[in-house]
Amino acid sequence: MRWGSSDTVSAAFRTRIASVHRETPHAALLRVDLAHHRLTFHPGQSVSIGLSDQPVRKRYSIACSPRQAEHTGLLELLVKTDVRGRADVHLADVAKGAEVEIDGPFGRLLLPDPLADPHLLFVSGGLGIAPLRSIMWTALELAPAPDIGVVYSARSAKEFAFAAELRRLHGQGQIQLRLAITREVPDNWESHRGRINQAMLAAAVGGHSPRCFVCGPDSFVGDVRSMLRDCGIPNHRIWQDEH
């Protein structure tokens, strides 16, 4: 289920990469310079990107909030890489200073203004955390901020993108964070072992009817939607995006 409609205008422009940070063993966080460009977007939207000297472009969800992008002058994109840190050919050997072409934004308005929902729940598998982070930060910037739950699964402890940030927000009481490792579980892991299950989601729902945002692989999204419905969440309260 998608809410609202797209009301932003797509416009391609060229700019440069401000930094490349290895976020996980299989993902890099690209920060794109917006200093001389105005990009108006909604949380949860995406842009297409590719090196300016080659024709291939691919879409990536924006991982920061509109306010963060305006404040820092940077657009954050979480890009899948191989174990050597290399992205696909459209971003081959991308590094600080590389010239890229950005087009967008694409997608729909997901958070109404004003936001009437007192409870939000974000459920992510792997790199699906990117658009959810954009929506989450936008919600945290509201006054008052809604009650926010985050349920996040990854194959190993090293594969949680933005892990330190999420744990900090949890420690500050700004979000309720539940993590699950599906494969390489360390012996000292105190959180959930295995896939996200009905019990985890029921605890996150907590007897409320939160507006839910789900992003990850197709099978993950389908399973989570089914479990959320079993928790009493109607279809129109669930937004999904396949990463």
Side-chain angles (χ1 to χ4, degrees):
M1 178 70 185
R2 293 180 182 271
W3 292 295
S5 60
S6 176
D7 61 356
T8 52
V9 179
S10 173
F13 60 90
R14 290 190 176 187
T15 185
R16 294 194 179 274
I17 297 294
S19 68
V20 179
H21 170 70
R22 190 73 173 269
E23 187 66 29
T24 77
H26 296 94
L29 184 65
L30 305 188
R31 292 186 171 96
V32 181
D33 186 6
L34 294 179
H36 304 293
H37 305 277
R38 180 172 178 81
L39 180 67
T40 301
F41 66 93
H42 297 305
Q45 288 189 306
S46 64
V47 294
S48 69
I49 184 173
L51 295 174
S52 58
D53 61 356
Q54 58 82 37
V56 180
R57 304 286 182 267
K58 289 190 177 182
R59 287 193 188 183
Y60 292 93
S61 297
I62 300 169
C64 59
S65 73
R67 183 180 296 180
Q68 288 171 327
E70 182 178 9
H71 177 72
T72 64
L74 300 172
L75 188 72
E76 295 186 334
L77 305 174
L78 192 63
V79 174
K80 184 178 180 180
T81 66
D82 62 20
V83 293
R84 297 181 181 180
R86 297 178 301 189
D88 288 341
V89 65
H90 68 294
L91 290 172
D93 300 319
V94 67
K96 179 179 179 180
E99 186 179 70
V100 294
E101 184 174 276
I102 299 288
D103 193 9
F106 307 101
R108 297 171 180 258
L109 174 64
L110 301 179
L111 283 182
D113 185 13
L115 178 65
D117 297 271
H119 303 281
L120 301 179
L121 177 61
F122 302 97
V123 187
S124 171
L127 300 188
I129 193 66
L132 304 189
R133 180 179 184 249
S134 176
I135 303 167
M136 179 194 74
W137 269 112
T138 301
L140 286 171
E141 292 160 0
L142 299 175
D147 177 69
I148 295 174
V150 177
V151 181
Y152 185 9
S153 74
R155 294 183 178 185
S156 72
K158 294 181 180 180
E159 296 290 348
F160 289 110
F162 314 114
E165 173 185 277
L166 293 170
R167 288 190 173 100
R168 173 176 58 82
L169 291 171
H170 175 75
Q172 294 171 347
Q174 293 181 269
I175 67 173
Q176 289 296 314
L177 178 65
R178 292 173 171 84
L179 300 176
I181 293 180
T182 60
R183 294 190 182 181
E184 302 171 23
V185 184
D187 292 338
N188 62 348
W189 183 250
E190 296 181 353
S191 298
H192 185 76
R193 297 168 179 254
R195 296 176 179 271
I196 292 172
N197 60 23
Q198 183 81 35
M200 282 189 77
L201 292 176
V205 167
H208 302 289
S209 183
R211 179 171 292 202
C212 301
F213 300 84
V214 185
C215 189
D218 289 352
S219 59
F220 171 88
V221 170
D223 290 344
V224 170
R225 282 188 65 90
S226 177
M227 288 186 286
L228 285 172
R229 288 195 297 267
D230 288 342
C231 289
I233 308 299
N235 274 328
H236 72 272
R237 300 285 292 168
I238 306 171
W239 173 85
Q240 72 178 63
D241 194 9
E242 295 78 26
H243 186 78

